[in-house]
Amino acid sequence: FQSLFNLLEFRRLVLNFNPPANAQDLPRNQKEHRNLPFMRELRYLFALLVGSKRKYVDPSRAVEILKDAFKSNDSQQQDVSEFTHKLLDWLEDAFQIKAEEERDGEKPKNPMVELFYGRFLAVGVLEGKKFENTEMFGQYPLQVNGFKDLHECLEAAMIEGEIESLHSENSAKSGQEHWFTELPPVLTFELSRFEFNQALGRPEKIHNKLEFPPILYLDRYMHKNREITRIKRDEIKRLKEYLTVLQQRLERYLSYGSGPKRFPLVDVLQYALEFASSKPVCTSPVDDLGASAPASGTMPAQTPPSTIDQQGPSSSDVPSTSPVQRSVIHKPFTQSRIPPDLPMHPAPRHITEEELSVLEGCLHRWRTEVENDTRDLQESISRIHRTIELMYSDKTMVQVPYRLHAVLVHEGQANAGHYWAYIYDHHQNRWMKYNDISVTKSTWEELERDSFGGYRNASAYCLMYINDKEQYLIQEEFNKETGQILVGMDTLPSDLRDYVKEDNKRFEKELEEWDAELAQKAQQEKLLSQIPRAPAPSPAPVQAGEPEYLEQPSRTDISKHLKEDSVQAINKALAEQEDRGPEAIMDTKVCTTVMSVVQKENTKTCVLYRLKCMSRAIKLEYTRLLKLAQEDPPPECDYRLRHAIVYFIQNQAPKKIIERTLLEQFGDHNLSFDERCRNIMKVAQAKLEMIKPDEVNMEEYERWHQDYRHFRETTMFLMVGLEFFQKKSKWSYRSLEEHGSYVEAGGYWMLYLILLFLHFSYMEALLYLIYAYQNNKELLSKGPYRGHDEELISHYRRESSLQEKLTDFLPKLLDCSTEIKGFNDPPKLPSYSTHELCERYARIMLSLSRTPADGR
């Protein structure tokens, strides 16, 4: 709605829509029965967006009418593209009814069709026969998979099959081209980011990156430019074929060799030159080591090279002032050092000065030739890329500019997710982000990050461009007499102006009632505080530093994601039209008691309605959480972290514990400022107040929530420990060998510092994993679903312990005063929201699933 509302011409059409005169009678058909009421509610909605004093307005009345068009299960999230299609269809039908009434013998003009619909010419060959068809289009669909930018998508959509047959007389191939003959002022592209996975039997979202420009020139797709476009396409095709040949040639230079391992040819020549220039040796390296071997009895006469490499030089190579032979000390990191009298690199046995001179000259010349060839190929490839990019930049091909007006974004997977929009403010020249009731300033950089895809699960699924030359689309209205710009209420017709004024009066009255209610509540609390009351059982205190799983100081101050889930369940319950009986959780006695608690209401019917709505909302929320608890998700998607109820269901918590937790969720005073949600909140609070101590064991209730806090704490210990382990495991002992020259230069102290760094790094990972293991073991003793996979934690705890002990050896060998800090107090855990915890946990578990089975 917001992307269309911020299109000023569309806004004017909706606000100034007058129902047909015959609409006052009974509707003649189904279209009039649904479309005219929808237009009435849409006018009210747009009018409130223009002049309401509220922070946000509720679109549910207009959306409820649209919902009738969808017959699928309410629990499934509808595709937004389908929703937009239906919206534009209904708008077209509504304006068509009005246009037919006002026509004077001419064909009626539908403003919705003129604003959103264009035409293209399909020219092609089918089984050797040429054809031409003109078709109308609204939202233009584009495939995303396999393309890097919007122009590539459009090129693929405009050409189908073998188009060579269009330019030859005797070809029997089939294919067609699409050419725009008439573009709409508002051009909408649907980006197909969903595909059905045949192997898994379910739809999947395509997260590939797709770039799109803020200004899109469509000249190359116009029918009037078809001849020059075909010439340019043929030239681009020829350039891409030549580009492929050049890239293959360059690849042969950059990946030289015939085996599985390939190297740049210039490096190969350099290595050969270094080998030839090395100091010649006269003996075999094996014979040289054998000659310096100790006497018999110490080492076998013939030792395999692999054994020699591991054992290193014997003690006889080291001069000693003592007549007593020293015992060999095992030094795992130093005793394989190359003796100083041996060369660092292999060298030729025999080479003459003449041979070396010829070889050096050839290798230098060849290396220079290869460098020049590589540079020429890279420059040619860059020139061709630049030529292709500028192919359509001449003046004749930049006459049809379309400016990006709105980007609709989806974050999540194919079956669920969250939607928001970026809309360009053409008067302030900046991007705005519309995310539910939040409207904030944004930038093109943020839009790129969230919309292009490839960065995370968020990507654009719909792009709305407007003709940059049609300024009436975004132009403000002016007063015909004064010439001043009309803003706010002045832009509304008289009937809508009165409607908004009445709504603003109701809002002011609601504020007054709200202030009075708060004052009355404060007075009642003050009076109640003066009455002595029996002490209620206090909940178990939360230890300092222990993260509260609802992310607030008290359990009733629910987090953002729980608020959204609760409000969504309430809205679904309120939207159901059928008359339902009281649910099991609310019997007749409960109804009577709650009505006595909710003293503000004057009618029994209103309270009963709220009771049914709250009962239905709780049932919907419980059904959703039960479904999550019964699923078998992958390790990276642990639904227990999302909600305590999932944890309770999987561990067979008592029904009363689950019911009270749900009531606390819906009874939170910060649930929502929406009037309907506040009414449900009051009913839930009343239900909580009437629960007797003997109905719910509060000690057991607190134990269950304490166990859930303990589970989340264990998860954080595990997650942080694994993150430290993966970060530090990149420093392998193999990397020490690869950087042996640096160790040689720095001596023992360089090696000492590196290993000391590794030692304390693995200690940090080990510390978190030890506490994760201990806490998890305690949880699993109460039930198999209370904690995490014990084998996983044990494996990485052992790995960290092994690495820590290995890196601890050398510091102790070099510095006997080194001490290891004991694990006395648990490390302090950072504070994570539920969303952050789930996201980081999923990331670390996904990275583990990509490692080999041994975990290294």
Side-chain angles (χ1 to χ4, degrees):
F1 282 126
Q2 284 286 5
S3 60
L4 296 173
F5 173 78
N6 283 278
L7 200 60
L8 298 187
E9 176 63 14
F10 179 84
R11 185 195 303 181
R12 285 190 287 268
L13 289 172
V14 171
L15 292 176
N16 295 306
F17 176 83
N18 291 320
N22 56 14
Q24 306 300 328
D25 305 328
L26 292 176
R28 295 172 297 182
N29 51 48
Q30 184 180 3
K31 286 186 177 181
E32 290 188 7
H33 179 73
R34 69 186 184 189
N35 294 353
L36 295 179
F38 171 72
M39 281 302 302
R40 181 181 64 249
E41 295 299 333
L42 188 62
R43 291 182 74 235
Y44 289 158
L45 176 62
F46 276 24
L48 290 174
L49 287 172
V50 169
S52 177
K53 294 182 179 180
R54 302 176 187 269
K55 183 180 179 181
Y56 60 90
V57 296
D58 186 2
S60 58
R61 294 176 64 178
V63 174
E64 283 302 314
I65 301 176
L66 269 176
K67 270 184 60 178
D68 294 338
F70 300 101
K71 302 301 181 183
S72 58
N73 191 348
D74 288 342
S75 63
Q76 296 178 349
Q77 192 162 4
Q78 298 298 334
D79 180 69
V80 177
S81 299
E82 184 182 356
F83 182 87
T84 308
H85 273 296
K86 193 65 62 178
L87 171 63
L88 294 179
D89 287 344
W90 284 24
L91 290 170
E92 179 187 350
D93 291 341
F95 277 91
Q96 187 66 26
I97 297 171
K98 180 66 175 176
E100 290 177 353
E101 183 188 59
E102 296 176 350
R103 68 177 178 178
D104 296 327
E106 299 179 358
K107 185 178 180 180
K109 291 185 178 181
N110 190 320
M112 288 293 112
V113 174
E114 294 182 351
L115 193 61
F116 292 103
Y117 288 85
R119 287 178 174 81
F120 66 83
L121 180 67
V123 184
V125 174
L126 181 62
E127 298 178 355
K129 297 180 181 180
K130 293 187 177 182
F131 66 88
E132 286 190 7
N133 293 324
T134 301
E135 300 181 24
M136 181 178 289
F137 70 92
Q139 293 177 294
Y140 204 83
L142 295 175
Q143 294 296 322
V144 171
N145 207 4
F147 306 107
K148 68 177 183 179
D149 58 42
L150 188 59
H151 275 300
E152 285 191 1
C153 297
L154 276 167
E155 289 283 352
M158 304 300 279
I159 303 174
E160 298 180 9
E162 299 289 341
I163 65 171
E164 289 83 357
S165 56
L166 302 177
H167 317 300
S168 59
E169 298 295 333
N170 301 320
S171 177
K173 294 181 179 179
S174 297
Q176 62 176 323
E177 292 176 334
H178 291 176
W179 299 99
F180 291 131
T181 57
E182 182 182 345
L183 286 172
V186 181
L187 179 59
T188 304
F189 294 115
E190 287 183 4
L191 304 182
S192 179
R193 284 196 170 272
F194 299 97
E195 63 181 5
F196 190 80
N197 189 317
Q198 297 289 346
L200 299 178
R202 65 186 183 190
E204 289 185 342
K205 185 178 178 183
I206 302 171
H207 297 292
N208 299 351
K209 183 177 181 180
L210 183 79
E211 299 179 359
F212 46 85
I215 300 292
L216 180 69
Y217 293 98
L218 296 170
D219 304 76
R220 69 185 78 174
Y221 311 109
M222 300 302 296
H223 182 256
K224 62 181 180 180
N225 298 325
R226 64 187 182 281
E227 296 302 331
I228 187 172
T229 299
R230 285 170 177 168
I231 294 173
K232 290 182 179 292
R233 283 177 179 171
D234 291 340
E235 178 65 14
I236 290 175
K237 182 179 179 181
R238 185 188 65 80
L239 288 173
K240 286 186 175 180
E241 291 174 352
Y242 183 48
L243 181 64
T244 302
V245 175
L246 292 180
Q247 289 173 335
Q248 291 174 350
R249 290 179 181 176
L250 179 62
E251 184 65 19
R252 293 170 186 170
Y253 281 94
L254 299 179
S255 299
Y256 184 81
S258 56
K261 292 185 177 181
R262 300 173 181 242
F263 304 93
L265 180 54
V266 66
D267 291 346
V268 173
L269 294 174
Q270 178 64 27
Y271 299 154
L273 180 61
E274 292 175 359
F275 173 77
S277 304
S278 301
K279 180 181 178 181
V281 294
C282 300
T283 60
S284 167
V286 178
D287 296 338
D288 186 57
L289 287 178
S292 60
S296 61
T298 307
M299 182 184 291
Q302 296 181 354
T303 308
S306 61
T307 307
I308 295 172
D309 293 339
Q310 295 176 10
Q311 293 175 347
S314 67
S315 60
S316 62
D317 292 331
V318 183
S320 175
T321 57
S322 172
V324 182
Q325 186 177 7
R326 286 185 177 181
S327 60
V328 179
I329 300 176
H330 180 68
K331 299 180 179 180
F333 302 111
T334 59
Q335 75 175 30
S336 60
R337 293 170 56 193
I338 300 175
D341 57 338
L342 288 182
M344 286 297 295
H345 302 288
R349 301 268 188 97
H350 306 284
I351 186 170
T352 64
E353 292 294 334
E354 182 180 359
E355 290 173 337
L356 180 60
S357 177
V358 172
L359 189 56
E360 284 183 341
C362 292
L363 290 173
H364 275 298
R365 185 177 70 253
W366 295 340
R367 188 174 186 274
T368 302
E369 293 173 356
V370 170
E371 288 177 342
N372 292 336
D373 292 345
T374 302
R375 183 172 57 253
D376 291 343
L377 285 170
Q378 291 173 337
E379 290 176 353
S380 298
I381 290 173
S382 298
R383 282 197 302 270
I384 294 175
H385 277 302
R386 183 64 176 166
T387 303
I388 293 175
E389 290 176 0
L390 299 177
M391 186 64 68
Y392 295 100
S393 61
D394 53 279
K395 188 175 181 180
T396 59
M397 303 301 285
V398 290
Q399 300 301 312
V400 187
Y402 271 70
R403 181 178 296 276
L404 187 61
H405 167 69
V407 179
L408 278 61
V409 181
H410 173 267
E411 181 180 22
Q413 301 300 329
N415 57 348
H418 179 59
Y419 296 91
W420 69 88
Y422 290 97
I423 303 173
Y424 191 69
D425 188 333
H426 298 272
H427 300 284
Q428 298 293 332
N429 294 323
R430 66 188 180 197
W431 285 96
M432 303 295 293
K433 182 177 182 180
Y434 292 79
N435 191 351
D436 293 337
I437 65 172
S438 172
V439 181
T440 56
K441 298 177 183 178
S442 185
T443 62
W444 176 255
E445 290 72 24
E446 182 183 3
L447 186 150
E448 280 186 347
R449 185 179 66 249
D450 288 347
S451 306
F452 281 7
Y455 174 69
R456 52 175 185 165
N457 291 345
S459 55
Y461 68 91
C462 185
L463 306 176
M464 184 179 292
Y465 282 87
I466 62 175
N467 193 324
D468 203 30
K469 293 185 176 181
E470 303 290 350
Q471 290 298 312
Y472 75 93
L473 295 172
I474 55 174
Q475 194 170 22
E476 298 279 3
E477 285 187 272
F478 291 87
N479 188 306
K480 296 180 180 179
E481 297 179 358
T482 63
Q484 298 293 325
I485 296 178
L486 298 177
V487 294
M489 298 281 281
D490 294 335
T491 62
L492 300 179
S494 58
D495 62 324
L496 293 180
R497 196 179 302 126
D498 295 339
Y499 175 80
V500 174
K501 288 180 179 178
E502 289 297 323
D503 185 78
N504 286 337
K505 289 180 180 179
R506 285 195 298 270
F507 179 58
E508 292 174 357
K509 186 177 180 181
E510 290 173 7
L511 290 178
E512 293 175 359
E513 292 177 354
W514 175 256
D515 292 338
E517 181 181 345
L518 290 179
Q520 182 181 3
K521 186 176 181 180
Q523 184 66 23
Q524 291 177 352
E525 290 177 353
K526 182 178 180 180
L527 294 175
L528 289 174
S529 63
Q530 299 174 358
I531 303 175
R533 299 176 62 182
S538 59
V542 179
Q543 296 179 3
E546 185 174 20
E548 179 65 44
Y549 71 87
L550 291 180
E551 303 144 19
Q552 297 290 340
S554 69
R555 189 161 45 246
T556 56
D557 291 336
I558 61 178
S559 62
K560 181 180 178 182
H561 83 286
L562 287 183
K563 289 181 185 178
E564 294 175 353
D565 294 339
S566 304
V567 172
Q568 185 177 6
I570 290 173
N571 288 334
K572 284 185 178 180
L574 292 170
E576 293 184 353
Q577 300 294 328
E578 62 269 18
D579 187 16
R580 298 178 179 270
E583 305 292 341
I585 197 173
M586 289 289 179
D587 54 17
T588 306
K589 181 180 179 181
V590 171
C591 294
T592 305
T593 309
V594 172
M595 280 189 291
S596 64
V597 175
V598 186
Q599 300 175 356
K600 182 182 176 182
E601 304 302 332
N602 297 323
T603 63
K604 177 179 179 181
T605 305
C606 184
V607 177
L608 289 175
Y609 172 73
R610 293 180 183 177
L611 282 169
K612 289 192 289 185
C613 288
M614 189 205 72
S615 177
R616 182 59 182 163
I618 289 179
K619 184 176 180 180
L620 288 171
E621 177 71 354
Y622 177 77
T623 303
R624 182 183 73 86
L625 297 174
L626 178 63
K627 184 178 179 181
L628 293 179
Q630 293 173 343
E631 288 186 9
D632 186 17
E636 67 270 13
C637 187
D638 195 333
Y639 293 136
R640 296 175 296 176
L641 295 174
R642 296 189 182 182
H643 203 295
I645 296 295
V646 178
Y647 184 84
F648 293 165
I649 294 175
Q650 290 187 354
N651 291 285
Q652 300 179 349
K655 181 181 178 182
K656 293 294 184 180
I657 302 296
I658 296 175
E659 287 181 0
R660 183 178 178 88
T661 303
L662 282 171
L663 282 171
E664 283 194 351
Q665 175 180 332
F666 283 87
D668 184 83
H669 62 276
N670 288 325
L671 177 63
S672 175
F673 292 103
D674 180 78
E675 183 65 26
R676 300 179 304 172
C677 293
R678 286 168 48 205
N679 292 333
I680 300 298
M681 173 197 71
K682 295 175 186 177
V683 176
Q685 290 176 345
K687 168 62 179 172
L688 282 170
E689 292 177 4
M690 56 175 275
I691 295 179
K692 298 178 180 179
D694 58 343
E695 293 182 7
V696 178
N697 188 332
M698 290 305 298
E699 292 184 0
E700 182 183 18
Y701 179 80
E702 289 299 332
R703 281 199 303 270
W704 275 98
H705 284 272
Q706 180 64 30
D707 285 349
Y708 183 65
R709 286 192 292 270
H710 198 191
F711 166 72
R712 284 175 61 100
E713 182 184 85
T714 303
T715 304
M716 286 188 275
F717 276 128
L718 171 61
M719 179 184 69
V720 176
L722 291 176
E723 287 175 343
F724 275 120
F725 178 84
Q726 286 204 332
K727 187 186 301 181
K728 306 310 178 186
S729 61
K730 295 178 181 178
W731 282 75
S732 63
Y733 299 116
R734 184 175 299 174
S735 66
L736 288 176
E737 295 179 1
E738 294 173 355
H739 298 82
S741 59
Y742 298 102
V743 177
E744 288 289 337
Y748 286 106
W749 286 110
M750 177 69 72
L751 187 61
Y752 173 80
L753 291 175
I754 294 175
L755 292 174
L756 197 61
F757 168 76
L758 288 172
H759 166 71
F760 286 108
S761 299
Y762 281 112
M763 271 189 61
E764 202 165 12
L766 179 60
L767 178 61
Y768 282 94
L769 291 173
I770 284 178
Y771 279 100
Y773 179 81
Q774 293 174 348
N775 292 356
N776 193 65
K777 188 174 182 180
E778 180 182 347
L779 287 170
L780 292 178
S781 65
K782 300 179 181 180
Y785 299 104
R786 294 288 187 114
H788 294 281
D789 183 3
E790 189 172 15
E791 294 183 1
L792 174 74
I793 305 179
S794 299
H795 171 78
Y796 283 97
R797 186 188 63 145
R798 288 194 302 268
E799 286 292 315
S800 298
S801 178
L802 175 62
Q803 302 290 354
E804 188 269 336
K805 289 178 180 177
L806 287 175
T807 54
D808 183 38
F809 176 78
L810 187 63
K812 283 186 175 181
L813 182 64
L814 299 178
D815 185 4
C816 298
S817 64
T818 304
E819 295 182 359
I820 306 300
K821 182 181 178 180
F823 301 142
N824 298 323
D825 299 324
K828 185 177 180 181
L829 288 170
S831 177
Y832 295 119
S833 68
T834 296
H835 177 73
E836 291 173 335
L837 178 61
C838 292
E839 191 176 59
R840 292 188 63 169
Y841 181 78
R843 191 185 306 125
I844 189 67
M845 296 305 291
L846 275 173
S847 65
L848 295 182
S849 65
R850 291 193 290 265
T851 59
D854 61 356
R856 299 181 185 273

